Amino acid sequence: MASIIVVNGEQYWPKYLTGHEVHYRRLQTSKWLYHENRLWVFDASGVVRADAVLWRLGAVKPDESHRSVLELIRFAGIPCVNPARTLLRGYDRLSMLAELREAGLTVSPDTIAIGENLLDKVDPPLPSVVKVGNFHGGYGKALAETETAWSDIKDLTFISNDYVTLEKYIPYVRDIRCLAIGDQMWAMSRRGARWKANIETQEFQVIPVPETLREQTQVAMNHLNADILGLDFLEDENGEFILLESNDIPGLSGFPEDALEALARIVRERVEGV
């Protein structure tokens, strides 16, 4: 019986990982020790051996401790889903965008600035979406619709001490998450309350996977050697799809039960050496 560590994950995994011990640990409150060819996880509840890891820490701004734990898992050779190497490649939004571009996919940022006062040299088309750093859940993002708004947002980015990306605003019809797990794929159409398409979701519906999204998602899966990956697209008024980003720890809420079973099957296969 293997000891599987679920990092910051959903509470339903014991149902899908029967035959193994499932331990939940929050990365923020745990300590990790590699000693004598074993990996151990400590927290207030005690110490457990890590035979495998299901990494579900997503939608947060990562810090260096996250990277260190992933590198330790990688060093220890512990099975991890997604693989630690894959998670490290998507560790930061900028690295994620670079990976997608290296895979031959077109991503949306027109401008990326690192350093003070560089945005003074930029005259973006308006409206444009300004994204600061690696925040998730709609944070660190603003819509510049006018010259006045652009000037104000530009001034605020000065205090962030982080990189800034600019994307031309896309009047979209819908936001689509394409989710791949192993050799299976699903798509979900989502509608948000405001211009931030994938937050404050008011409606969602699982739909047939558009072929062009299937192809792009498969390209990204192969490039990253991922077990699970979500690609987010906007569909514009002309029916064109624009790739926004990939997510190597995508949420599973709203997707069919088959998706959870598929991910659990990959974890079991890694643990059992199938």
Side-chain angles (χ1 to χ4, degrees):
M1 178 180 292
S3 174
I4 301 172
I5 307 298
V6 180
V7 176
N8 290 64
E10 304 90 345
Q11 296 298 307
Y12 47 63
W13 289 111
K15 171 184 174 183
Y16 299 94
L17 297 171
T18 54
H20 299 289
E21 295 180 359
V22 177
H23 303 277
Y24 288 90
R25 292 296 182 269
R26 289 183 57 79
L27 194 60
Q28 299 91 327
T29 57
S30 61
K31 302 176 183 179
W32 297 66
L33 172 68
Y34 177 78
H35 181 62
E36 296 181 344
N37 296 319
R38 292 285 191 179
L39 185 61
W40 305 90
V41 187
F42 295 74
D43 73 356
S45 65
V47 56
V48 293
R49 187 183 70 250
D51 296 320
V53 174
L54 175 56
W55 189 277
R56 297 296 295 160
L57 177 69
V60 299
K61 182 176 175 63
D63 60 35
E64 283 303 314
S65 68
H66 302 175
R67 181 185 289 276
S68 297
V69 172
L70 285 170
E71 292 287 14
L72 182 59
I73 293 169
R74 181 182 168 200
F75 176 83
I78 298 298
C80 186
V81 177
N82 265 320
R85 180 186 293 272
T86 298
L87 294 167
L88 285 162
R89 291 168 72 181
Y91 170 84
D92 181 85
R93 185 168 185 272
L94 192 52
S95 60
M96 173 271 295
L97 292 171
E99 290 287 351
L100 292 177
R101 174 163 284 195
E102 287 184 358
L105 300 174
T106 300
V107 287
S108 54
D110 302 305
T111 301
I112 302 174
I114 303 175
E116 297 178 358
N117 302 321
L118 288 180
L119 293 182
D120 290 335
K121 304 179 183 300
V122 174
D123 186 21
L126 298 177
S128 279
V129 177
V130 183
K131 298 182 179 180
V132 180
N134 195 46
F135 292 95
H136 298 269
Y139 294 104
K141 300 171 178 63
L143 178 61
E145 297 183 274
T146 66
E147 290 290 348
T148 299
W150 164 240
S151 179
D152 289 342
I153 293 169
K154 183 172 57 175
D155 290 346
L156 286 173
T157 65
F158 179 81
I159 65 174
S160 69
N161 195 32
D162 212 334
Y163 63 84
V164 178
T165 64
L166 302 180
E167 303 171 7
K168 183 179 179 181
Y169 174 71
I170 301 165
Y172 67 94
V173 175
R174 58 179 176 170
D175 161 69
I176 297 178
R177 158 69 59 86
C178 196
L179 173 69
I181 303 177
D183 59 0
Q184 295 179 260
M185 204 172 294
W186 301 263
M188 180 185 291
S189 172
R190 305 176 294 190
R191 185 174 67 84
R194 298 183 288 129
W195 66 269
K196 297 178 182 179
N198 60 352
I199 65 168
E200 298 180 19
T201 301
Q202 294 186 323
E203 296 178 6
F204 65 89
Q205 179 182 9
V206 175
I207 61 172
V209 182
E211 191 57 34
T212 183
L213 305 194
R214 180 184 298 276
E215 293 171 358
Q216 293 184 62
T217 303
Q218 192 61 58
V219 166
M221 282 280 283
N222 294 343
H223 176 76
L224 292 167
N225 193 31
D227 299 312
I228 175 173
L229 195 68
L231 260 64
D232 291 339
F233 300 84
L234 293 182
E235 183 180 6
D236 68 15
E237 298 164 333
N238 300 316
E240 297 292 325
F241 295 106
I242 296 91
L243 174 59
L244 294 181
E245 62 186 14
S246 69
N247 188 331
D248 48 27
I249 316 135
L252 300 173
S253 177
F255 284 98
E257 185 86 356
D258 290 351
L260 281 70
E261 293 173 350
L263 186 57
R265 183 164 56 251
I266 291 172
V267 176
R268 289 197 304 270
E269 288 173 352
R270 293 286 169 78
V271 169
E272 297 162 8
V274 177

